[in-house]
Amino acid sequence: MNNLLFGYLDKERLETLRNKFSEMNVVDIAQMFEEIPEEKKLIIFRILPKDIAAEVFSYMSQKEQQFIIESITDKEVQSLIEDLYLDDTVDFIEELPANVVKKVLRNTDEQTRKTINHFLNYPENSAGSIMTIEYVNLHKEMTIKQAIARIKEIGVDRETIDTCYVTSKGRKLEGVILLRQLILSEEEEVIENIMDKDLKYVHTHDDQEKAASLFKKYDLITMPVTDNENRLVGIITVDDILDIIEEETTEDFQKMAAMEPSEEEYLETSVFSLAKHRIVWLLVLMISATFTGNIIKRYEDVLQTVVILTAFIPMLMDTGGNAGSQSSTLIIRGLALGEIKPKDWVKVVFKELRVSLLVGITLAVVNFGRIYFLEKVDFYVSLTVCITLFCTVIIAKAVGGLLPIVAKKLKVDPAIMASPLITTIVDALVLVLYFATATVLLGI
């Protein structure tokens, strides 16, 4: 498909190419820019019909947006910004270098510039930083006929008209009404009588994760954002929330893998930047792993007396790490989705204890049969290994289930308490338990 379009360009059939773009989805066009040779990108962007150019731009990657802004004229920048929704403008400005931001701001009118700067002053990751001011608000005293007339008047420049928010004269948020209700109601009916007063909203300084949680819980398409005096200042739309969910999930994956979060795409990130994001946690985990080495040194006499004990250390440590990771993954997910609260820690520990008893007994019995009957290892050595294994699973499940809750309580991201950190902690506890059990049972 792309080759066909480029063929039109090479043959200078620009009008045909423009018509082809008019029939395509704007998201597909934006993704196509990733494959277009750099020398042709600006030509193709200028060919785009004016009514879809801004929308295509909003779906481009940050790298492509920067290239377009740097390449087009000031007049073209001004025209592009006028056609963009304000939240899309703020989103891409946040990622641009200072010199490119200056080019954008100097080509906007004073009121738009003030509004953009106001948005940029909201705390990062707050509801105010992701909202848009392109919404339809209606007054509660309006009739249905007046409301529909207002939507027709201003709706063309609004991000959505499906959901309209009802305000008083002082912009106080009073309720919400759907376009469907307006169309199906009598023209002389007053909005106040049919609007829904039980609406969900967030404040400008609330965390974006709170907004995402409310969207999921109540199946919302949009959500109003108010200031401290309950005045409507903007709305958040579901497409922005999907971006937030993707960002938060990516960040959690990175933290669970013991890396510093990064918003850059993998292939666009330099080797030095990737190394910088990984090396800190690797150093911390490496240094913390010396504790396990010190524990082994302390019990050198035990290992020299019963050398076979050394062979089972990797199995015990791996099982402990795996068991802890299983628990922590489930608890971190539960905390992220709001299914588990910090106050539920007793329930979590009790449930993980029961799970670990079942799992621990099964693993211990299977291992005893393998070690004692198949490998012909001494009975007391086999017993030592299997008792340690049983206790390891219990400890690992408890640690894996409890640490994310402790992190949440301390207002630290629970994702930090994932596999690498839990494995390090469990390894140290397992070794101490293993050698202590061996000392008692084998009389060393």
Side-chain angles (χ1 to χ4, degrees), residues 128-158:
S129 69
I130 61 170
M131 70 181 183
T132 177
I133 59 171
E134 274 109 1
Y135 59 87
V136 174
N137 69 304
L138 305 172
H139 299 303
K140 61 182 181 180
E141 300 86 3
M142 284 181 171
T143 63
I144 299 299
K145 184 177 181 179
Q146 291 171 329
I148 292 176
R150 176 171 169 78
I151 293 171
K152 288 180 177 180
E153 179 185 353
I154 67 172
V156 67
D157 295 323
R158 298 302 185 256

Side-chain angles (χ1 to χ4, degrees), residues 175 258 391:
C391 296

Side-chain angles (χ1 to χ4, degrees), residues 36-50:
I36 298 173
E38 195 164 279
E39 64 274 11
K40 294 183 178 180
K41 287 181 180 178
L42 188 58
I43 300 173
I44 290 180
F45 185 77
R46 283 173 168 158
I47 290 172
L48 293 175
K50 189 176 185 301

